[in-house]
Amino acid sequence: MRRADRLFRLVQILRRRKLSRARELAEELEVSERTIYRDIRDLAASGVPVEGEAGVGYILRDGYDLPPLMFDAEEIEALVVGARMVQSWTDPQMARAASDALSKIEAVVPERLRGLIGGIPIAVADIPQEPIAVSMPVLRRAIRERNIINIDYIDVKAVSTQRRVWPLGMLFFGSVWLLAGWCELRNAFRVFRADRIVNMDVLTERYRPTPGRTLRDYMISEGVEGEVLNGLGR
């Protein structure tokens, strides 16, 4: 890897994590820790707002913008495969958004890479899913905007209950979409199968992110770690 490419990737890694230790950076970039220390010094000297120290870790201050991104062949392949998964495993609105995103990527990549977008030899099969009665786009918007929802839910024993839920995020396991949320009835995290939600009302009332009740907290309680947590922020 060229040094310029390594420095660019180093900044990308620092952007997606809250704290990165030299050992972790060295392993991901496949270089020595000494090289990481030198690269961090060079980035700081060139004006990149990197803070931290050896043995503690490094962070990139908020507000730093990279130049317009360019993609290499493997990054394009990852984006295309991810978009195909979205097209096959989600609702029509999200599938259209994935197609639109690929069109935008195709418009900005160099001519020599444009042909990759339609020609990657990786297929994603459709997975049969139970029909979902509620609107997934409406549910995702409630998650984004932190609107509390009321749901009528039928559990595995066919018992119907009404729940008032803080919708935190969606999880996909095989053929099932799950809603992870904080249930006010149980005063605890609960996971609801989307196909068992028979009715949903999105309230104008919004919840505030509360320590101990976030999606990240839920994932930690389930033993999830690594890059999945890094993507959830703090």
Side-chain angles (χ1 to χ4, degrees):
M1 183 188 303
R2 295 182 309 164
R3 183 166 183 273
D5 293 333
R6 187 179 70 246
L7 291 175
F8 185 81
R9 284 191 59 192
L10 179 55
V11 173
Q12 287 182 302
I13 295 169
L14 291 170
R15 288 189 74 186
R16 71 172 187 258
R17 296 178 182 171
K18 291 297 182 182
L19 179 69
S20 300
R21 292 179 172 81
R23 176 178 53 81
E24 299 166 341
L25 295 169
E27 289 176 356
E28 184 160 350
L29 294 173
E30 298 180 345
V31 296
S32 68
E33 290 185 37
R34 179 175 295 181
T35 298
I36 294 297
Y37 295 139
R38 184 175 65 248
D39 288 349
I40 291 290
R41 287 197 302 269
D42 291 346
L43 286 174
S46 66
V48 178
V50 181
E51 297 179 349
E53 60 184 63
V56 177
Y58 300 96
I59 62 172
L60 185 66
R61 286 205 308 269
D62 293 338
Y64 178 71
D65 291 323
L66 286 168
L69 294 180
M70 299 304 294
F71 301 101
D72 61 24
E74 287 190 354
E75 290 169 338
I76 290 175
E77 186 172 272
L79 291 170
V80 171
V81 173
R84 290 176 182 172
M85 290 178 178
V86 171
Q87 291 167 334
S88 296
W89 300 344
T90 62
D91 54 273
Q93 182 169 325
M94 185 170 275
R96 285 194 299 272
S99 297
D100 291 344
L102 284 181
S103 297
K104 292 178 180 179
I105 292 170
E106 187 173 14
V108 300
V109 298
E111 184 69 31
R112 62 185 177 81
L113 296 176
R114 235 165 250 172
L116 289 176
I117 292 180
I120 291 175
I122 300 176
V124 177
D126 290 335
I127 296 179
Q129 299 179 39
E130 295 296 325
I132 297 174
V134 298
S135 169
M136 291 291 278
V138 171
L139 179 53
R140 288 196 299 271
R141 185 167 60 250
I143 293 170
R144 289 195 305 270
E145 299 181 1
R146 302 194 183 100
N147 291 99
I148 296 173
I149 60 175
N150 285 333
I151 62 173
D152 296 324
Y153 188 72
I154 299 177
D155 66 17
V156 67
K157 296 180 181 179
V159 177
S160 178
T161 60
Q162 293 184 327
R163 307 291 185 95
R164 179 179 157 100
V165 178
W166 300 10
L168 302 175
M170 300 299 300
L171 314 172
F172 185 66
F173 287 95
S175 61
V176 178
W177 277 101
L178 306 175
L179 168 66
W182 181 264
C183 176
E184 292 189 354
L185 177 66
R186 304 302 184 196
N187 196 34
F189 291 116
R190 286 294 185 268
V191 174
F192 305 94
R193 281 183 52 151
D195 59 291
R196 291 182 180 158
I197 301 174
V198 295
N199 186 60
M200 176 180 68
D201 291 322
V202 179
L203 308 182
T204 57
E205 183 180 355
R206 296 181 178 179
Y207 66 90
R208 292 185 178 182
T210 303
R213 298 186 181 185
T214 67
L215 181 60
R216 182 183 180 88
D217 293 321
Y218 166 73
M219 300 296 273
I220 291 173
S221 73
E222 293 296 307
V224 176
E225 56 187 22
E227 288 300 314
V228 174
L229 287 185
N230 289 332
L232 295 177
R234 295 288 179 181

